């Protein structure tokens, strides 16, 4: 794309390139091309590291985590979300970390308590700005999990994961 070409031609190319890659990932997520989105987000993170990073990855890490959840890579996503949740420096990153953990728990546990925790964090994070792209991606996952829409799922024991029927019954 011309944005990518431009980002390579300017002095602050890593900073601009990071944002271009992140936006490309956002577009791919919106199109349901989650693997491609994950690749763009990981590229964005590598570029961010080249110019000093984004405050404990608060912009790229939630996106990587959401893409991993969409791909059923829950264990990997939870590691990322735990890192964000424990980040004391950037409150937005911490909140997205807690939100990602709640999304994963609501899908995996499918209990009333997990869903209530998810809804509480969803409400809090929504106050911070429902118009931003990251919140839109998070909302898409939130709706899928609460509706019981099928997502890819990671299983460590070879068995399919518990389905979201308990979420639908308790919601």
């Amino acid at each position: 794309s011309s944005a990518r070409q431009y980002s390579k031609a300017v002095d602050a190319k890593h900073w601009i390139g990071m944002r271009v890659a992140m936006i490309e990932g956002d577009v791919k997520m919106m199109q349901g091309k989650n693997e491609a989105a994950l690749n763009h987000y990981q590229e964005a993170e590598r570029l961010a590291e080249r110019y000093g990073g984004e405050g404990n990855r608060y912009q790229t890490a939630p996106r990587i985590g959401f893409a991993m959840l969409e791909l059923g890579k829950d264990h990997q996503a939870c590691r990322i979300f735990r890192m964000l949740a424990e980040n004391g420096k950037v409150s937005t990153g911490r909140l997205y970390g807690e939100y990602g953990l709640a999304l994963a728990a609501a899908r995996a546990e499918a209990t009333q308590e997990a869903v209530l925790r998810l809804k509480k964090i969803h409400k809090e994070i929504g106050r911070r700005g429902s118009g931003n792209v990251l919140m839109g991606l998070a909302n898409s996952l939130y709706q899928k999990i609460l509706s019981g829409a099928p997502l890819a799922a990671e299983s460590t024991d070879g068995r399919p994961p518990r389905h979201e029927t308990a979420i639908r019954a308790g919601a």
Side-chain angles (χ1 to χ4, degrees), residues 1 5 10 23 36-37 54 56 80 91-93 95 100 102 104 107-108 112-113 115 127 135 141 145 149 154 158 166:
S1 78
Q5 291 171 349
V10 297
I23 291 166
E54 291 280 321
N56 288 23
I80 290 170
S91 62
T92 301
L95 190 56
R107 182 165 74 186
Q112 184 81 18
E113 182 180 329
V115 172
R127 289 186 204 148
M135 190 62 205
L141 253 170
I145 288 171
E154 193 175 87

Side-chain angles (χ1 to χ4, degrees), residues 1-6 20 24:
S1 78
S2 59
R4 183 177 288 275
Q5 291 171 349
Y6 176 75
V20 170
E24 288 173 327

Side-chain angles (χ1 to χ4, degrees), residues 35-110:
E35 190 70 46
L38 178 59
N39 291 333
H40 285 294
Y41 293 149
Q42 290 169 331
E43 177 188 1
E45 193 162 88
R46 284 189 298 274
L47 289 167
E49 288 172 6
R50 293 180 84 179
Y51 73 83
E54 291 280 321
N56 288 23
R57 305 168 50 200
Y58 81 98
Q59 289 194 54
T60 54
R63 286 171 164 84
I64 289 170
F66 293 145
M68 286 181 169
L69 282 179
E70 286 278 11
L71 292 167
K73 299 178 179 185
D74 292 16
H75 297 295
Q76 292 170 291
C78 285
R79 280 196 300 267
I80 290 170
F81 290 130
R82 266 190 229 92
M83 178 274 302
L84 284 167
E86 293 169 1
N87 178 3
K89 294 180 181 177
V90 182
S91 62
T92 301
R94 186 173 56 248
L95 190 56
Y96 274 111
E98 292 170 7
Y99 190 57
L101 290 171
L103 284 167
R107 182 165 74 186
E109 297 167 20

